[in-house]
Amino acid sequence: MPHPLLASASEPALPIWLADKGTWPEVAATLPLSARGFANAQGFEAKAGTHCFLPDAEGNLLGVAFGVDEESAKRVDPFLVGKLPNVLPDGVYRFETDVARPELATLAWLLGAYSFNRYRKRASKSVRLVVPKGVDAGEVSRIADAIASSRDLINTPTNDLGPDGIETAARHLAERHGASFSSIVGDDLLKQNLPMIHAVGRASSTAPRLIDFTWGKDDAPRITLVGKGVAFDTGGLDIKPSSSMLLMRKDMGGAAATLALADMIMGAGLPVRLRVLIPAVENSISSNAFRPGDILPSRKGITVEIGNTDAEGRLILADALTLADEENPDLIVDFATLTGAARVALGPDLPPFYTDDDALAAEISRHGEAVNDPVWRMPLWAPYQAQLDSKYADMNNTGGPMGGSITAALFLRRFVSAAKAHVHFDIFAWNNAAKPGRPEGGEVQAARLIYALLKDRYRS
């Protein structure tokens, strides 16, 4: 069903005039004299992101003027209209002037209206948009709902969303789409040869687990998604400072992105055989916590020396990636809030991705630009592999003091050998400040672009 914040063209709606500095005089000339005079009195110039409420001759709201980026701008933000749901009064609105990339503008409206209200009740708003001509309301609604659900997961603190809560969310999603679901919990991880997931999560009072669900026909192209599900990361015995723990509820952002993408794929009925693997743990401190210097076995048979217990995400992903790889899938995509080094390199809004497949990398970059889900390719620089050497084991779980996102990606690559293609996204999963279409808080990164890529590849 269409999103409750979308309206049909038959509903009465207030107009939104979109203009940039160059086109504003032309647009203003079409307005009633009272509205034009009011805008001039306010000094409105259609600067990008600004708005002006326009009255009719009786002083009632006639419509809204909104400034957009000029075409000559170095970077045009197709999500800019995502600011509007937060500044408009309740009502139904329509774009009166042509909107660039109307599907993205509609999505931005829905994403910008998102708020997390579980713990603090706020007055609800009903700011609805008439679906622009040519926009698939059902498609945009499915994407927006998937992102909202996963934003909720990231924003929920760990006391209400531990590894078991991640499993519950995944189970409900799988059941809604008719997927087959299983979970390997606690010591059964050792019996099923998933020792690193067990080691990282065993110190928590909530047992570690591997969440596993599949959907689609067995003979369809095999797509496997792997998401890092660390419900909270103390850093383990290499404990984080308190300031670094404040956002660690988002350390399951990779799992949330995976679930959002899975929701999009299944909701659209893409002709693929989808498998989702989420190692869900809490990296806690207890007498049985894994230690610096421990040497862990892995499902792959590679032994891993622990250089730092705060580099735990790659350990749980390694076992899950090995399991994924055993099916020889056409594509493995993993999402993980893996390194602070990625933020140093590219900041919070531009996740790096890593793949050996040049054609896949080009597809990712193209679709990321097309759907305003930006990412940047980083190199799997082979000489840095030496930073993962260990004197006592096959490899160490940490590299040197620099290039940390690259060495983490190189670590993961060691556990994928049979899949036709593999891509790793090192995401931040959080907006430090509100931006159009991206409220402050949990964020789903890179999922929309992979959905667009798969839809382009496989939908007939």
Side-chain angles (χ1 to χ4, degrees):
M1 294 181 63
H3 198 282
L5 292 183
L6 296 180
S8 69
S10 62
E11 296 187 57
L14 292 167
I16 299 172
W17 290 276
L18 303 174
D20 60 38
K21 286 186 175 182
T23 61
W24 170 242
E26 180 181 348
V27 172
T30 68
L31 300 175
L33 185 61
S34 59
R36 191 188 325 157
F38 185 84
N40 290 335
Q42 296 298 310
F44 182 72
E45 298 179 341
K47 181 181 178 181
T50 62
H51 69 280
C52 183
F53 296 116
L54 302 176
D56 61 18
E58 288 74 39
N60 300 312
L61 181 60
L62 172 72
V64 184
F66 185 73
V68 297
D69 293 302
E70 297 182 77
E71 289 185 8
S72 60
K74 288 185 177 180
R75 183 167 182 84
V76 174
D77 184 1
F79 273 9
L80 194 58
V81 297
K83 293 185 68 172
L84 286 169
N86 296 304
V87 299
L88 297 178
D90 288 356
V92 180
Y93 298 84
R94 70 176 187 274
F95 294 130
E96 183 69 14
T97 48
D98 290 338
V99 55
R101 306 170 77 175
E103 189 155 324
L104 282 184
T106 306
L107 179 62
W109 183 283
L110 300 183
L111 297 182
Y114 169 86
S115 63
F116 182 63
N117 299 321
R118 177 168 177 173
Y119 301 97
R120 185 176 66 177
K121 299 303 179 185
R122 304 173 188 176
S124 60
K125 293 186 68 175
S126 179
V127 182
R128 302 169 62 214
L129 177 70
V130 171
V131 180
K133 186 177 180 180
V135 171
D136 184 338
E139 169 83 342
V140 173
S141 297
R142 285 193 302 269
I143 294 172
D145 286 343
I147 292 172
S149 294
S150 285
R151 282 175 172 175
D152 283 348
L153 293 176
I154 299 169
N155 285 323
T156 301
T158 310
N159 60 306
D160 283 327
L161 192 82
D164 51 348
I166 297 172
E167 177 182 340
T168 297
R171 186 186 297 274
H172 288 166
L173 177 63
E175 290 174 349
R176 178 156 57 87
H177 290 287
S180 61
F181 184 93
S182 66
S183 180
I184 304 170
V185 182
D187 289 345
D188 284 345
L189 291 164
L190 297 176
K191 297 175 184 177
Q192 298 293 326
N193 192 24
L194 297 160
M196 291 204 293
I197 299 174
H198 182 273
V200 171
R202 70 192 183 203
S204 172
S205 59
T206 305
R209 62 206 63 213
L210 178 71
I211 299 158
D212 184 354
F213 66 85
T214 59
W215 173 90
K217 296 180 179 179
D218 285 340
D219 59 352
R222 297 197 164 208
I223 308 300
T224 301
L225 312 179
V226 180
K228 174 187 170 185
V230 177
F232 192 86
D233 181 19
T234 65
L237 292 173
D238 287 307
I239 191 169
K240 294 178 182 290
S242 59
S243 60
S244 297
M245 287 194 213
L246 288 176
L247 285 183
M248 280 302 99
R249 61 181 170 182
K250 79 171 184 65
D251 212 20
M252 43 65 66
T258 297
L259 293 176
L261 176 54
D263 196 1
M264 296 175 206
I265 291 170
M266 294 186 292
L270 293 188
V272 299
R273 189 271 198 177
L274 177 69
R275 188 179 190 185
V276 174
L277 296 169
I278 297 175
V281 303
E282 183 178 0
N283 187 20
S284 296
I285 298 173
S286 184
S287 61
N288 67 336
F290 75 118
R291 297 164 287 262
D294 282 357
I295 295 177
L296 303 181
S298 70
R299 182 179 184 86
K300 186 81 170 179
I302 297 171
T303 55
V304 180
E305 181 182 6
I306 304 304
N308 193 305
T309 61
D310 197 18
E312 84 299 332
R314 66 199 68 183
L315 300 175
I316 64 172
L317 287 171
D319 272 354
L321 286 170
T322 301
L323 178 59
D325 196 51
E326 290 167 6
E327 284 194 324
N328 306 316
D330 294 273
L331 175 63
I332 297 175
V333 184
D334 80 73
F335 302 89
T337 52
L338 207 60
T339 68
R343 315 288 79 80
V344 173
L346 297 177
D349 301 337
L350 189 62
F353 73 94
Y354 298 85
T355 181
D356 286 317
D357 189 322
D358 291 340
L360 174 62
E363 280 189 271
I364 288 170
S365 296
R366 176 168 60 87
H367 285 288
E369 180 68 24
V371 301
N372 196 34
D373 198 4
V375 292
W376 197 263
R377 189 184 188 185
M378 294 273 277
L380 286 160
W381 185 244
Y384 289 173
Q385 183 70 44
Q387 295 185 32
L388 296 169
D389 289 347
S390 167
K391 293 180 180 179
Y392 308 106
D394 293 323
M395 62 191 308
N396 202 295
N397 77 322
T398 56
M402 293 184 285
S405 182
I406 296 174
T407 55
L410 288 168
F411 180 94
L412 296 179
R413 187 174 67 167
R414 289 283 299 273
F415 296 87
V416 178
S417 56
K420 293 179 182 177
H422 168 225
V423 58
H424 159 61
F425 289 95
D426 191 341
I427 64 176
F428 188 54
W430 193 264
N431 296 317
N432 285 325
K435 293 174 277 294
R438 294 181 168 97
E440 182 178 353
E443 188 55 275
V444 175
Q445 295 176 305
R448 288 190 299 108
L449 80 85
I450 293 295
Y451 171 62
L453 184 154
L454 295 175
K455 186 169 65 169
D456 188 44
R457 274 191 185 184
Y458 299 116
R459 172 170 281 178
S460 56

